[in-house]
Amino acid sequence: MASSTFSIGGERTVRRLGFGAMRLPTAPGPARETSLAVARRAVELGVTLIDTAHMYGWGANEELLAEALHPYPDDLLVATKVGIAPPTADREAAVHGRPEFLREQVDEGLRRLRVERLELLQLHRIDPEVPLADQLGALRELQIQGKIGHLGLSEVTVSELEEARKIIDVVSVQNRYSMLDREHEAVLDACDAAGIAFLPWRPVHPSANSAAEEIAAVAAELGATAAQVSLAWLLDRSPVVLPIPGTGSIGHLEENTAAAGLRMTKDQWRRLDRLRAG
Protein backbone atom coordinates (compact mmCIF):
# COMPACT_ATOMS: atom_id res chain seq x y z
CA MET A 1 0.00 0.00 0.00
CA ALA A 2 1.39 3.38 -1.03
CA SER A 3 2.24 5.92 1.65
CA SER A 4 -0.43 8.50 2.45
CA THR A 5 2.25 11.22 2.65
CA PHE A 6 4.97 12.64 0.43
CA SER A 7 8.01 14.76 1.26
CA ILE A 8 8.19 17.66 -1.20
CA GLY A 9 11.79 18.56 -1.86
CA GLY A 10 12.75 16.10 0.84
CA GLU A 11 11.74 18.70 3.44
CA ARG A 12 8.00 19.37 3.52
CA THR A 13 5.92 16.29 4.28
CA VAL A 14 2.27 16.63 3.25
CA ARG A 15 -0.67 14.32 2.97
CA ARG A 16 -0.88 13.25 -0.65
CA LEU A 17 -4.54 14.15 -1.16
CA GLY A 18 -4.58 17.94 -1.25
CA PHE A 19 -7.08 20.65 -2.09
CA GLY A 20 -7.28 22.96 -5.09
CA ALA A 21 -8.66 26.39 -4.14
CA MET A 22 -9.33 27.60 -7.69
CA ARG A 23 -13.09 27.03 -7.53
CA LEU A 24 -13.66 29.03 -4.36
CA PRO A 25 -15.77 32.13 -5.05
CA THR A 26 -14.10 35.28 -3.69
CA ALA A 27 -16.65 38.06 -4.29
CA PRO A 28 -18.22 39.55 -1.13
CA GLY A 29 -21.40 37.84 -0.03
CA PRO A 30 -22.69 34.44 1.12
CA ALA A 31 -20.62 32.55 -1.46
CA ARG A 32 -17.42 34.02 -0.03
CA GLU A 33 -18.45 33.01 3.48
CA THR A 34 -18.94 29.47 2.19
CA SER A 35 -15.50 29.59 0.58
CA LEU A 36 -13.92 30.56 3.90
CA ALA A 37 -15.75 27.68 5.57
CA VAL A 38 -14.62 25.22 2.88
CA ALA A 39 -10.96 26.22 3.27
CA ARG A 40 -11.16 25.88 7.04
CA ARG A 41 -12.95 22.54 6.78
CA ALA A 42 -10.22 21.24 4.48
CA VAL A 43 -7.64 21.84 7.20
CA GLU A 44 -9.93 20.30 9.81
CA LEU A 45 -10.12 17.18 7.64
CA GLY A 46 -6.35 16.88 7.65
CA VAL A 47 -5.48 18.45 4.30
CA THR A 48 -1.91 19.77 4.47
CA LEU A 49 -1.44 20.84 0.82
CA ILE A 50 -3.53 23.64 -0.69
CA ASP A 51 -2.98 24.88 -4.23
CA THR A 52 -3.67 28.43 -5.36
CA ALA A 53 -2.28 30.91 -7.91
CA HIS A 54 -2.09 34.60 -8.64
CA MET A 55 -4.28 33.94 -11.70
CA TYR A 56 -7.14 32.65 -9.55
CA GLY A 57 -9.03 35.90 -9.16
CA TRP A 58 -5.82 37.86 -9.81
CA GLY A 59 -4.79 37.58 -6.20
CA ALA A 60 -8.24 37.32 -4.66
CA ASN A 61 -7.91 33.58 -4.10
CA GLU A 62 -4.65 34.02 -2.19
CA GLU A 63 -6.25 36.75 -0.07
CA LEU A 64 -9.22 34.48 0.65
CA LEU A 65 -6.96 31.69 1.90
CA ALA A 66 -5.07 34.13 4.11
CA GLU A 67 -8.32 35.40 5.60
CA ALA A 68 -9.51 31.85 6.23
CA LEU A 69 -6.34 30.23 7.51
CA HIS A 70 -3.70 32.74 8.62
CA PRO A 71 -1.79 32.17 10.83
CA TYR A 72 -1.30 28.88 9.05
CA PRO A 73 -0.87 25.60 10.89
CA ASP A 74 2.78 24.49 10.95
CA ASP A 75 2.07 21.44 8.80
CA LEU A 76 0.08 23.30 6.12
CA LEU A 77 1.78 23.97 2.79
CA VAL A 78 0.11 26.62 0.62
CA ALA A 79 1.49 26.40 -2.91
CA THR A 80 0.98 29.26 -5.33
CA LYS A 81 1.89 30.07 -8.92
CA VAL A 82 3.11 33.09 -10.89
CA GLY A 83 3.72 33.88 -14.54
CA ILE A 84 0.35 34.94 -15.96
CA ALA A 85 -0.41 38.61 -16.55
CA PRO A 86 -4.00 39.76 -15.95
CA PRO A 87 -6.11 41.04 -18.83
CA THR A 88 -6.18 44.73 -19.67
CA ALA A 89 -8.45 46.89 -21.80
CA ASP A 90 -6.52 45.99 -24.94
CA ARG A 91 -5.45 42.37 -24.37
CA GLU A 92 -6.46 39.11 -22.74
CA ALA A 93 -4.61 37.38 -19.92
CA ALA A 94 -1.26 36.16 -21.17
CA VAL A 95 1.79 34.16 -20.16
CA HIS A 96 4.42 36.59 -18.86
CA GLY A 97 7.81 35.32 -17.77
CA ARG A 98 10.01 38.39 -17.76
CA PRO A 99 12.13 38.44 -14.59
CA GLU A 100 10.90 41.82 -13.35
CA PHE A 101 7.28 40.67 -13.67
CA LEU A 102 7.93 37.39 -11.84
CA ARG A 103 9.71 39.23 -9.03
CA GLU A 104 6.76 41.61 -8.69
CA GLN A 105 4.26 38.73 -8.56
CA VAL A 106 6.27 36.92 -5.92
CA ASP A 107 6.33 40.04 -3.74
CA GLU A 108 2.57 40.44 -4.22
CA GLY A 109 2.03 36.80 -3.31
CA LEU A 110 4.02 37.21 -0.11
CA ARG A 111 1.88 40.20 0.83
CA ARG A 112 -1.45 38.59 -0.02
CA LEU A 113 -0.68 35.30 1.73
CA ARG A 114 0.83 37.22 4.68
CA VAL A 115 4.04 35.21 4.75
CA GLU A 116 7.75 35.94 4.54
CA ARG A 117 8.43 32.94 2.31
CA LEU A 118 6.40 31.11 -0.32
CA GLU A 119 7.08 27.51 0.64
CA LEU A 120 6.26 26.15 -2.84
CA LEU A 121 6.22 28.51 -5.82
CA GLN A 122 5.41 27.09 -9.25
CA LEU A 123 5.87 28.78 -12.62
CA HIS A 124 2.32 28.72 -13.98
CA ARG A 125 3.44 28.49 -17.59
CA ILE A 126 6.78 28.75 -19.36
CA ASP A 127 6.92 31.91 -21.47
CA PRO A 128 8.16 30.93 -24.96
CA GLU A 129 9.24 34.53 -25.59
CA VAL A 130 11.68 34.64 -22.66
CA PRO A 131 14.73 32.38 -22.25
CA LEU A 132 13.96 29.68 -19.70
CA ALA A 133 17.20 30.45 -17.90
CA ASP A 134 16.03 34.03 -17.37
CA GLN A 135 12.64 32.96 -15.98
CA LEU A 136 13.96 30.28 -13.66
CA GLY A 137 17.08 32.27 -12.85
CA ALA A 138 14.94 35.09 -11.46
CA LEU A 139 13.01 32.66 -9.28
CA ARG A 140 16.22 30.98 -8.17
CA GLU A 141 17.57 34.37 -7.06
CA LEU A 142 14.44 34.93 -5.00
CA GLN A 143 14.89 31.47 -3.52
CA ILE A 144 18.45 32.35 -2.49
CA GLN A 145 17.11 35.56 -0.94
CA GLY A 146 14.74 33.48 1.19
CA LYS A 147 11.50 34.58 -0.45
CA ILE A 148 10.85 31.12 -1.92
CA GLY A 149 11.30 27.74 -0.27
CA HIS A 150 10.92 25.31 -3.17
CA LEU A 151 10.33 25.69 -6.90
CA GLY A 152 8.06 23.81 -9.27
CA LEU A 153 6.61 23.96 -12.77
CA SER A 154 3.18 23.69 -14.36
CA GLU A 155 2.06 22.34 -17.74
CA VAL A 156 5.46 21.24 -18.99
CA THR A 157 6.75 18.55 -21.32
CA VAL A 158 9.41 15.99 -20.48
CA SER A 159 12.03 17.96 -22.41
CA GLU A 160 11.09 21.21 -20.66
CA LEU A 161 11.34 19.46 -17.29
CA GLU A 162 14.78 18.13 -18.20
CA GLU A 163 15.96 21.58 -19.29
CA ALA A 164 14.57 23.21 -16.16
CA ARG A 165 16.31 20.71 -13.89
CA LYS A 166 19.64 21.91 -15.26
CA ILE A 167 18.83 25.39 -13.88
CA ILE A 168 16.88 24.80 -10.67
CA ASP A 169 15.94 22.01 -8.28
CA VAL A 170 12.44 21.16 -9.50
CA VAL A 171 10.44 19.62 -6.64
CA SER A 172 6.98 19.58 -8.22
CA VAL A 173 5.15 19.52 -11.54
CA GLN A 174 1.50 20.45 -11.92
CA ASN A 175 0.02 19.10 -15.16
CA ARG A 176 -3.48 18.10 -16.18
CA TYR A 177 -3.94 14.38 -15.59
CA SER A 178 -6.62 11.90 -14.58
CA MET A 179 -7.69 8.32 -15.10
CA LEU A 180 -9.32 9.27 -18.40
CA ASP A 181 -6.93 12.03 -19.46
CA ARG A 182 -3.37 10.76 -19.68
CA GLU A 183 -1.85 13.11 -22.20
CA HIS A 184 0.98 13.81 -19.76
CA GLU A 185 1.69 10.19 -18.84
CA ALA A 186 5.35 10.55 -19.85
CA VAL A 187 5.76 13.59 -17.60
CA LEU A 188 4.32 11.68 -14.66
CA ASP A 189 6.70 8.81 -15.38
CA ALA A 190 9.64 11.24 -15.46
CA CYS A 191 8.56 12.71 -12.11
CA ASP A 192 8.17 9.23 -10.66
CA ALA A 193 11.69 8.31 -11.73
CA ALA A 194 13.15 11.50 -10.24
CA GLY A 195 11.09 11.58 -7.03
CA ILE A 196 9.39 14.83 -8.06
CA ALA A 197 5.89 15.54 -6.75
CA PHE A 198 3.26 15.39 -9.51
CA LEU A 199 0.15 17.46 -8.78
CA PRO A 200 -2.56 16.52 -11.28
CA TRP A 201 -5.08 19.27 -11.84
CA ARG A 202 -8.56 18.34 -13.00
CA PRO A 203 -7.97 14.94 -11.37
CA VAL A 204 -11.58 13.83 -11.86
CA HIS A 205 -12.38 13.69 -15.56
CA PRO A 206 -16.08 13.65 -16.58
CA SER A 207 -16.59 10.09 -17.79
CA ALA A 208 -18.87 8.86 -20.54
CA ASN A 209 -20.03 5.71 -22.28
CA SER A 210 -18.37 2.45 -21.25
CA ALA A 211 -15.82 4.20 -19.03
CA ALA A 212 -18.60 5.62 -16.88
CA GLU A 213 -20.15 2.17 -16.55
CA GLU A 214 -16.89 0.56 -15.43
CA ILE A 215 -16.11 3.34 -12.95
CA ALA A 216 -19.66 3.09 -11.58
CA ALA A 217 -19.30 -0.66 -11.25
CA VAL A 218 -16.08 -0.41 -9.23
CA ALA A 219 -17.61 2.38 -7.14
CA ALA A 220 -20.62 0.19 -6.35
CA GLU A 221 -18.35 -2.68 -5.32
CA LEU A 222 -16.51 -0.36 -2.92
CA GLY A 223 -19.56 1.53 -1.66
CA ALA A 224 -18.00 4.74 -2.99
CA THR A 225 -18.70 7.43 -5.55
CA ALA A 226 -17.21 7.65 -9.04
CA ALA A 227 -15.18 10.71 -8.00
CA GLN A 228 -13.76 8.88 -4.99
CA VAL A 229 -12.77 5.95 -7.18
CA SER A 230 -11.06 8.31 -9.65
CA LEU A 231 -9.03 9.91 -6.85
CA ALA A 232 -8.17 6.57 -5.28
CA TRP A 233 -6.92 5.34 -8.66
CA LEU A 234 -4.60 8.35 -8.88
CA LEU A 235 -3.24 7.75 -5.39
CA ASP A 236 -2.45 4.16 -6.39
CA ARG A 237 -0.98 5.19 -9.76
CA SER A 238 2.32 6.40 -8.27
CA PRO A 239 3.59 7.43 -4.83
CA VAL A 240 4.60 10.84 -6.25
CA VAL A 241 1.02 11.72 -7.28
CA LEU A 242 -0.59 14.40 -5.11
CA PRO A 243 -4.12 15.05 -6.43
CA ILE A 244 -5.58 18.50 -5.74
CA PRO A 245 -9.34 18.19 -6.34
CA GLY A 246 -11.17 21.48 -6.06
CA THR A 247 -14.68 22.31 -4.95
CA GLY A 248 -16.72 25.12 -3.45
CA SER A 249 -18.90 22.68 -1.49
CA ILE A 250 -18.18 21.29 1.96
CA GLY A 251 -20.09 18.13 1.04
CA HIS A 252 -17.95 17.50 -2.01
CA LEU A 253 -14.82 18.37 -0.05
CA GLU A 254 -15.65 15.76 2.58
CA GLU A 255 -16.39 13.21 -0.15
CA ASN A 256 -13.07 13.93 -1.87
CA THR A 257 -10.95 13.72 1.27
CA ALA A 258 -12.57 10.41 2.19
CA ALA A 259 -11.13 8.96 -1.02
CA ALA A 260 -7.74 8.78 0.71
CA GLY A 261 -9.07 5.90 2.78
CA LEU A 262 -10.46 3.92 -0.15
CA ARG A 263 -8.75 0.61 -0.82
CA MET A 264 -9.30 -1.14 -4.12
CA THR A 265 -8.06 -4.55 -5.18
CA LYS A 266 -5.38 -5.01 -7.83
CA ASP A 267 -8.04 -6.36 -10.16
CA GLN A 268 -10.25 -3.29 -9.66
CA TRP A 269 -7.30 -0.98 -10.28
CA ARG A 270 -6.37 -2.85 -13.48
CA ARG A 271 -9.95 -2.63 -14.74
CA LEU A 272 -9.82 1.14 -14.30
CA ASP A 273 -6.31 1.40 -15.71
CA ARG A 274 -7.54 0.04 -19.03
CA LEU A 275 -9.97 2.93 -19.40
CA ARG A 276 -9.42 6.01 -21.50
CA ALA A 277 -11.59 9.01 -22.41
CA GLY A 278 -13.86 8.40 -25.38
Side-chain angles (χ1 to χ4, degrees), residues 48-100:
T48 54
L49 172 63
I50 295 181
D51 174 75
T52 183
H54 171 263
M55 192 185 80
Y56 304 161
W58 307 116
N61 196 270
E62 293 172 323
E63 292 173 344
L64 176 86
L65 291 176
E67 180 179 342
L69 302 172
H70 190 274
Y72 307 106
D74 291 340
D75 62 348
L76 178 64
L77 175 61
V78 178
T80 192
K81 297 181 286 295
V82 298
I84 307 291
T88 64
D90 55 358
R91 66 160 173 77
E92 298 180 350
V95 175
H96 195 325
R98 294 194 178 280
E100 62 273 16

Side-chain angles (χ1 to χ4, degrees), residues 5 28 30 58-59 68 81 98 105 126 128 153 155 169 178 183 192-193 200 210 227 236 238 244 257 263 274:
T5 63
W58 307 116
K81 297 181 286 295
R98 294 194 178 280
Q105 284 205 324
I126 290 175
L153 305 170
E155 285 302 284
D169 181 15
S178 70
E183 177 184 347
D192 195 350
S210 58
D236 282 349
S238 164
I244 46 171
T257 53
R263 299 288 177 260
R274 290 194 292 264

Side-chain angles (χ1 to χ4, degrees), residues 34-233:
T34 298
S35 294
L36 295 170
V38 169
R40 290 166 182 153
R41 182 60 177 149
V43 172
E44 289 175 358
L45 290 168
V47 169
T48 54
L49 172 63
I50 295 181
D51 174 75
T52 183
H54 171 263
M55 192 185 80
Y56 304 161
W58 307 116
N61 196 270
E62 293 172 323
E63 292 173 344
L64 176 86
L65 291 176
E67 180 179 342
L69 302 172
H70 190 274
Y72 307 106
D74 291 340
D75 62 348
L76 178 64
L77 175 61
V78 178
T80 192
K81 297 181 286 295
V82 298
I84 307 291
T88 64
D90 55 358
R91 66 160 173 77
E92 298 180 350
V95 175
H96 195 325
R98 294 194 178 280
E100 62 273 16
F101 179 77
L102 297 178
R103 286 191 286 265
E104 179 183 336
Q105 284 205 324
V106 166
D107 285 340
E108 290 177 359
L110 291 167
R111 176 181 55 79
R112 284 189 294 261
L113 287 168
R114 307 180 197 173
V115 294
E116 295 182 355
R117 183 169 87 159
L118 301 173
E119 293 299 331
L120 176 57
L121 187 283
Q122 299 178 118
L123 184 62
H124 210 143
R125 295 290 187 275
I126 290 175
D127 188 340
E129 303 299 323
V130 179
L132 184 59
D134 290 354
Q135 299 174 65
L136 299 183
L139 297 179
R140 174 64 182 140
E141 289 175 3
L142 294 172
Q143 186 179 34
I144 293 171
Q145 293 171 16
K147 292 184 177 182
I148 297 171
H150 296 285
L151 289 168
L153 305 170
S154 180
E155 285 302 284
V156 293
T157 63
V158 171
S159 61
E160 288 170 337
L161 173 59
E162 291 175 349
E163 184 179 357
R165 293 185 69 202
K166 297 174 183 177
I167 305 168
I168 62 169
D169 181 15
V170 179
V171 304
S172 67
V173 169
Q174 186 169 329
N175 278 24
R176 192 187 70 251
Y177 185 85
S178 70
M179 184 199 308
L180 301 181
D181 180 3
R182 305 190 208 175
E183 177 184 347
H184 297 294
E185 191 96 51
V187 180
L188 169 52
D189 289 341
C191 289
D192 195 350
I196 295 171
F198 185 87
L199 283 61
W201 61 271
R202 198 183 294 161
V204 180
H205 188 286
S207 54
N209 305 327
S210 58
E213 296 175 6
E214 190 64 54
I215 295 171
V218 173
E221 293 165 14
L222 294 170
T225 67
Q228 287 175 323
V229 166
S230 297
L231 292 170
W233 180 88

